[in-house]
Structures are given as C-alpha cells and as structure tokens.
C-alpha cells in the first residue's frame, strides 16, 4: 500500500505570503494520480487540484499543483484570509496524506 | 447540481453494525462512469477512505480496515449504503459519502456534508 507523507504538519504564515505544501509518496504514482483537497472546520473537504496540476472548477488561480512520481507540491501564491485551513493530498481512489494545517501567524 | 446526503443512527453500541445510507439527488447513481464512496474522519484527525462502489455493484474496499465492510447500491432509490461490522470506539468518526470523477482511479468531486457516528455503550 502506498503511503503519502505531507509536510510540514503545520505552516504558520501571514495573509499575502506564499504557502508551499509537500506530499511525498512511498512509491511512484501512476500518471500523476494525485489530488489536493481543502478542509475548513465543520465542513466537508473541497477538491482543489486533480491530476497533480489541474485546478478544479471554480478554484482561484492562486492555487497551483506540481510534481510527478513521488514528490508533489501545492502552492498558494498569496494567502487570502479564507485559505487558512487544512490541506490533504490523496492518491486517486485510495489513501490520504495526514494533512497540513495552514494557520495564521 | 449533484447533492449527496448521509443518513443513519448517530449512536452505535460496540460490537454492533454501523449502517449508513447516502441519498443522491441531482444526478443518477446508475451512470456507468462513476464510483460512489465512503470516507471517514475521526474527531480531530485526518481522512480515511473506506470503500467505493459503482452502479453494477463492483466494489473496492480499504484492506487496512479491521472491521468487515459491506457497501451496496440501490439504483431504484438512487442510494448506496455502508455497513461496518463489529465496531469499536475507534470507529467513531464523521462519515462522508462522496462521488469520484469518472472511474474509480479518479479524484473525489462531490462530498456529502458528513454525519457523526459515535460508538459507545
């Protein structure tokens, strides 16, 4: 079973700053079968990125995904107040990473 | 707009079976393309995929889960269901139903709002 490890566990940043979140897979993922989700307290997760780098419908272009094989990155170019949340990566159909919390510094 | 809604008991006793149903509206569960899944989240913890099913009953289940899992589909009611047997306190979680994009090996496009199930005597 492929394990996804996200880092850091918590990212403390200020609005307007750039956030870089990492997701590392224990084995290479086929065809960039990786997605990113955002979850706010009390809400269901929301799809942000699929296919490692494609933005889902309605997702602002400050969110971008990159990577292939075993190393993937979610970048938020300039943090807006509504972006402070927990972010999860997922191998398609299966395992999730443990999450990265982006909190206000 | 596709909507998913979980329903079922909020409290289950240890060793009993947890049963949840997801009702789909705004779209047909009989669509050939899609898989429908269950994901859970223990309080304060991360997401765990439980299993997924398509319209014909083809399933994928998480082999890491200790409790026996049964996922079924009822196309006449536009619903799919989860049964998790012999539950323990570790199965206390918010349970989400969801829909993959086209095919099983795809991202999860739609989520229900989630329902909290507590395992306690």
């Amino acid at each position: 079973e492929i394990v996804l490890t996200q880092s850091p566990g918590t990212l403390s940043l200020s609005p307007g700053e750039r956030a870089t979140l990492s997701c590392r897979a224990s084995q290479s993922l086929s065809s960039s079968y990786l997605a990113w989700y955002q979850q706010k307290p009390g809400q269901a997760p929301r799809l942000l990125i699929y296919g490692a780098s494609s933005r889902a419908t309605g997702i602002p272009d400050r969110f971008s995904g990159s990577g292939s094989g075993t190393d993937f990155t979610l970048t938020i170019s300039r943090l807006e107040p509504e972006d402070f949340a927990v972010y999860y990566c997922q191998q398609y159909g299966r395992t999730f990473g443990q999450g990265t919390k982006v909190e206000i510094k | 707009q596709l909507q998913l809604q979980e329903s079922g008991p909020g409290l289950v006793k240890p060793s009993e079976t947890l049963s949840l149903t997801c009702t789909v509206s705004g779209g047909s569960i009989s669509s050939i393309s899609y898989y429908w899944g269950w994901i859970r989240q223990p309080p304060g913890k991360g997401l765990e995929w439980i299993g997924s099913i398509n319209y014909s009953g083809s399933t994928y289940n998480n082999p890491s889960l200790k409790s026996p899992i049964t996922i079924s589909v009822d196309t006449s009611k536009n619903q799919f269901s989860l049964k998790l047997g012999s539950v323990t306190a570790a199965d206390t979680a918010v349970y989400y139903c969801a829909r993959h994009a086209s095919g099983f090996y795809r991202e999860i496009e739609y989520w229900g709002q989630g329902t909290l199930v507590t395992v306690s005597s």
Side-chain angles (χ1 to χ4, degrees):
Chain A
E1 181 179 326
I2 294 177
V3 176
L4 300 179
T5 302
Q6 292 187 240
S7 61
T10 302
L11 202 49
S12 299
L13 295 168
S14 301
E17 289 192 297
R18 181 184 188 91
T20 303
L21 288 67
S22 172
C23 177
R24 179 163 291 179
S26 58
Q27 301 173 44
S28 182
L29 298 187
S30 302
S31 303
S32 297
Y33 279 5
L34 187 105
W36 290 93
Y37 303 87
Q38 177 193 67
Q39 187 179 35
K40 297 179 181 179
Q43 296 184 16
R46 175 175 73 144
L47 176 66
L48 295 176
I49 300 288
Y50 64 95
S53 60
S54 297
R55 271 188 303 276
T57 303
I59 301 303
D61 61 8
R62 65 179 180 273
F63 291 92
S64 63
S66 63
S68 63
T70 60
D71 290 302
F72 299 87
T73 300
L74 175 70
T75 301
I76 311 171
S77 59
R78 294 172 310 278
L79 282 164
E80 297 287 342
E82 61 268 26
D83 299 336
F84 292 92
V86 180
Y87 293 83
Y88 295 95
C89 59
Q90 187 208 14
Q91 174 199 3
Y92 274 7
R94 295 186 184 277
T95 51
F96 290 88
Q98 81 278 20
T100 290
K101 182 179 181 180
V102 178
E103 65 175 22
I104 299 178
K105 187 174 181 180
Chain B
Q1 175 75 354
L2 190 76
Q3 293 188 323
L4 300 94
Q5 180 67 59
E6 306 89 352
S7 58
L11 181 64
V12 180
K13 290 183 168 55
S15 80
E16 295 190 345
T17 296
L18 180 158
S19 296
L20 294 173
T21 295
C22 182
T23 300
V24 178
S25 58
S28 174
I29 204 168
S30 298
S31 173
I32 292 175
S33 303
Y34 300 113
Y35 270 79
W36 308 84
W38 291 97
I39 297 104
R40 70 181 182 180
Q41 185 171 38
K45 296 189 178 180
L47 301 165
E48 180 176 44
W49 170 70
I50 299 170
S52 302
I53 190 168
N54 73 354
Y55 79 104
S56 67
S58 177
T59 58
Y60 292 87
N61 290 345
N62 186 339
S64 300
L65 292 183
K66 297 183 177 65
S67 301
I69 301 167
T70 302
I71 298 176
S72 58
V73 63
D74 187 338
T75 55
S76 67
K77 294 181 179 179
N78 226 32
Q79 295 176 336
F80 63 105
S81 298
L82 169 70
K83 290 188 187 300
L84 197 61
S86 305
V87 295
T88 70
D91 295 307
T92 293
V94 174
Y95 285 76
Y96 295 100
C97 61
R99 195 199 81 179
H100 300 241
S102 181
F104 172 68
Y105 291 103
R106 290 297 306 268
E107 66 277 14
I108 294 174
E109 281 187 305
Y110 293 95
W111 298 73
Q113 66 184 27
T115 187
L116 175 63
V117 179
T118 302
V119 178
S120 174
S121 55

